[in-house]
Amino acid sequence: MGNQVEKLTHLNYKEVPTADPTGVDRDEGPRIGVSYIFSNDDDELEQQQDSVHDLGGEHPALQPYDPQLHEVECSVYYRDECIYQKSFAEEDTLPEEGDEGGGGHLSTYTPENLLNRCKPGDLVEFVCQAQYPHWVVYVGDFQVVHLHRLEVVNSFLTDASQGRRGRIANQLYRYKPLSPAVVVRNALEQVGCKDRDLSWRNSECFAAWCRYGKREFKIGGELRIGKQPYRLQIRLGDKRSHTLEFQSLEDLIMEKRRNDQIGRAAVIQELSSHLQAAEEEEEEDEDHHHPGAQTAVE
């Protein structure tokens, strides 16, 4: 699923930059890594999984969702700057009634409870096991704007949730946000944009662009010049992590979302198998380089 080629027929590249987005072009030497291109996620695949339900429809009872059990802890770096972090180690508040997954900013709530917490300009992330997270922008009056089925639409928050629990996601990205009024305006001005006119590959990129205004979230928002300044550090355990490198934030987000969709256990198993194979290959290489090496026999 994660290695399919992105379908570009419905996309355009209207805003390709001509300079480094930060205004700084530091030559840090070559980086080793791969930039991945994946298929669209929540705007297509998620709907295929639940095609019998539309916005406002009835939904079956979902299994209990535990963020600490299902979600992947990770950090995102642009060169040496941490620009995104999801860590349960920062959860230092007690859970409130009706919460799941502990307290703090990663707690999840029912859509009805979220309505009492949201303010215009907030980002909301709806989560569910084995599905891509779905991000929306709260614009007030119980309504949100979000990328849904390859179109930017205005919906009621409870309808956009499709029965999933959610959280206010303002603290995940560490960019400086725009004012709430500008965030709401950014979102509302895009309502009705669809298909070939879209500049975002998924709901997260759209919502984050509305709040932070950075072109890195848009399709083709960064030049691909060989460098890989973005790093996705995935936490595998208390003292283990694995880092992947990407040319663009857009590609990194697609991989991060794929990890959320397959779940923490699958990610750890996938990476552990990869690391084990890499270690075995290194050992074989060392044996070839040291012909005098012998295998102990008991």
Side-chain angles (χ1 to χ4, degrees):
M1 177 181 297
N3 293 322
Q4 298 174 3
V5 176
E6 167 66 12
K7 292 180 290 185
L8 299 175
T9 55
H10 66 279
L11 307 174
N12 69 23
Y13 290 78
K14 292 188 294 186
E15 301 196 15
V16 177
T18 57
D20 187 280
T22 63
V24 178
D25 189 13
R26 296 182 294 172
D27 187 0
E28 298 183 346
R31 290 179 175 268
I32 300 175
V34 179
S35 288
Y36 301 93
I37 300 178
F38 299 101
S39 62
N40 280 323
D41 45 52
D42 58 315
D43 301 317
E44 290 185 355
L45 301 182
E46 194 172 88
Q47 300 306 325
Q48 294 174 9
Q49 296 168 359
D50 192 21
S51 59
V52 297
H53 303 294
D54 203 346
L55 292 176
E58 296 296 328
H59 302 278
L62 299 176
Q63 296 180 355
Y65 182 81
D66 184 348
Q68 296 195 44
L69 179 62
H70 299 304
E71 297 187 29
V72 180
E73 293 183 276
C74 65
S75 300
V76 176
Y77 294 88
Y78 177 72
R79 297 193 167 120
D80 295 326
E81 177 187 4
C82 182
I83 60 174
Y84 173 101
Q85 186 170 45
K86 178 186 284 188
S87 173
F88 293 104
E90 298 181 354
E91 302 292 300
D92 56 2
T93 60
L94 296 175
E96 301 179 24
E97 183 177 356
D99 293 358
E100 290 184 4
H105 68 280
L106 293 179
S107 300
T108 62
Y109 307 91
T110 64
E112 291 74 18
N113 284 337
L114 274 175
L115 286 174
N116 299 323
R117 301 171 181 273
C118 289
K119 301 183 296 295
D122 283 347
L123 303 188
V124 175
E125 179 187 30
F126 293 114
V127 289
C128 183
Q129 186 177 1
Q131 291 188 16
Y132 291 96
H134 190 71
W135 289 56
V136 303
V137 181
Y138 186 73
V139 296
D141 296 327
F142 313 118
Q143 297 182 60
V144 299
V145 172
H146 58 124
L147 183 59
H148 173 75
R149 294 188 179 181
L150 298 179
E151 181 177 1
V152 178
V153 297
N154 192 346
S155 312
F156 285 107
L157 182 147
T158 50
D159 292 340
S161 73
Q162 295 193 327
R164 293 166 288 194
R165 296 179 68 89
R167 62 169 69 98
I168 296 175
N170 296 341
Q171 297 185 53
L172 291 176
Y173 283 98
R174 297 190 168 185
Y175 294 123
K176 181 179 179 180
L178 303 172
S179 69
V182 173
V183 177
V184 171
R185 185 181 67 202
N186 284 344
L188 291 175
E189 286 180 348
Q190 300 302 319
V191 172
C193 182
K194 61 183 178 179
D195 299 329
R196 296 179 182 274
D197 293 327
L198 286 175
S199 296
W200 308 271
R201 291 169 74 179
N202 56 66
S203 60
E204 180 174 341
C205 285
F206 169 73
W209 174 82
C210 289
R211 182 170 173 84
Y212 303 106
K214 289 188 169 290
R215 61 185 174 186
E216 292 92 319
F217 292 107
K218 287 191 170 186
I219 295 169
E222 295 174 281
L223 288 177
R224 300 173 183 270
I225 56 176
K227 297 181 181 179
Q228 294 179 300
Y230 290 96
R231 290 179 288 126
L232 173 61
Q233 186 178 70
I234 302 170
R235 185 176 178 184
L236 302 178
D238 291 337
K239 297 182 179 180
R240 296 190 67 199
S241 65
H242 184 66
T243 300
L244 301 173
E245 296 183 335
F246 299 83
Q247 285 182 317
S248 70
L249 181 60
E250 179 191 14
D251 285 347
L252 185 149
I253 288 173
M254 296 297 285
E255 172 67 356
K256 178 175 68 70
R257 291 172 62 77
R258 185 187 75 93
N259 291 342
D260 287 332
Q261 191 269 334
I262 66 176
R264 181 175 181 272
V267 170
I268 291 177
Q269 180 179 3
E270 185 180 274
L271 290 178
S272 296
S273 299
H274 168 74
L275 294 175
Q276 181 179 356
E279 290 172 358
E280 292 175 352
E281 184 176 342
E282 288 179 1
E283 291 176 358
E284 291 179 0
D285 289 342
E286 289 179 0
D287 291 341
H288 288 311
H289 293 320
H290 297 82
Q294 298 180 351
T295 302
V297 178
E298 297 185 6

